[in-house]
Amino acid sequence: IELIRGLPLIILLFMSSVVFPLFLPEGVTINKILRAQVAIILFTAAYVAEVVRGGLQAIPRGQYEAADSIGLNYFLTMRLVILPQALKIVIPPSVQQLISAFKDTSLVVIIALFDLLRTTQTVLSDPKWMGFSAEAYIFVAILYFLGCFSMSNYSRRLERELSTEQH
């Protein structure tokens, strides 16, 4: 986790695109899109793992002791007592990380893969679409905003549903 978190996503994408194929046996190829997906997934998973670790550390020691006092083993303690509380704590940072990953997908253009923004630039190079660049970029911005806004709203709704506070 520390190794992945210590590298910028651009480096991981570059390594998946250029360096990784050098280590494959001759005649074996893996799709460039799949390699980029694996790099983004590893990067995001490392950050989400740290978020969950932080949530687990936020649970007071008394919760572990309470589960132990009623005779729960380690797995039942985690499943029934600790994880439900920890996962509720980590909803906001997890969603923030997923929103960041959603926006970071535009970095695949560095390894010559097309993303939404690059596709828009390609369309704008067509003479029929000249003069519509403002509209095209506003449309792309709206799509990114709607994606991020919907994830954020879902997060807030989930937090409200899981809230144990009395109002």
Side-chain angles (χ1 to χ4, degrees):
I1 290 176
E2 290 302 319
L3 176 69
I4 299 293
R5 286 184 65 225
L7 296 172
L9 180 56
I10 293 172
I11 297 295
L12 291 174
L13 288 170
F14 176 75
M15 289 175 61
S16 73
S17 176
V18 178
V19 178
F20 180 71
L22 298 175
F23 293 102
L24 293 176
E26 195 171 317
V28 175
T29 59
I30 297 177
N31 188 331
K32 197 172 192 176
I33 294 173
L34 181 61
R35 293 191 315 251
Q37 284 177 333
V38 169
I40 291 171
I41 289 168
L42 284 174
F43 186 78
T44 303
Y47 277 91
V48 170
E50 280 300 303
V51 167
V52 171
R53 185 187 58 78
L56 289 171
Q57 288 180 336
I59 303 300
R61 186 82 197 128
Q63 295 294 317
Y64 292 91
E65 293 168 358
D68 191 38
S69 72
I70 59 172
L72 295 179
N73 63 23
Y74 175 79
F75 295 106
L76 286 176
T77 298
M78 283 294 164
R79 194 178 115 229
L80 300 174
V81 179
I82 304 303
L83 281 177
Q85 295 177 66
L87 294 178
K88 188 171 80 171
I89 292 170
V90 301
I91 289 172
S94 296
V95 171
Q96 186 279 326
Q97 185 57 43
L98 293 175
I99 288 172
S100 178
F102 174 65
K103 293 188 291 185
D104 284 348
T105 57
S106 64
L107 293 175
V108 298
V109 78
I110 290 170
I111 58 170
L113 291 176
F114 274 47
D115 71 321
L116 182 60
L117 193 58
R118 182 69 179 139
T119 304
T120 303
Q121 291 170 340
T122 303
V123 167
L124 290 175
S125 67
D126 185 346
K128 294 181 219 171
W129 289 92
M130 292 276 185
F132 292 103
S133 60
E135 292 87 349
Y137 288 124
I138 288 171
F139 178 73
V140 170
I142 288 170
L143 287 180
Y144 273 108
F145 173 78
L146 288 175
C148 295
F149 186 71
S150 62
M151 284 188 262
S152 181
N153 272 345
Y154 180 73
S155 166
R156 283 193 291 273
R157 190 175 76 217
L158 190 59
E159 282 182 90
R160 268 194 312 273
E161 289 174 7
L162 295 176
S163 176
T164 55
E165 296 174 8
Q166 301 297 323
H167 299 290

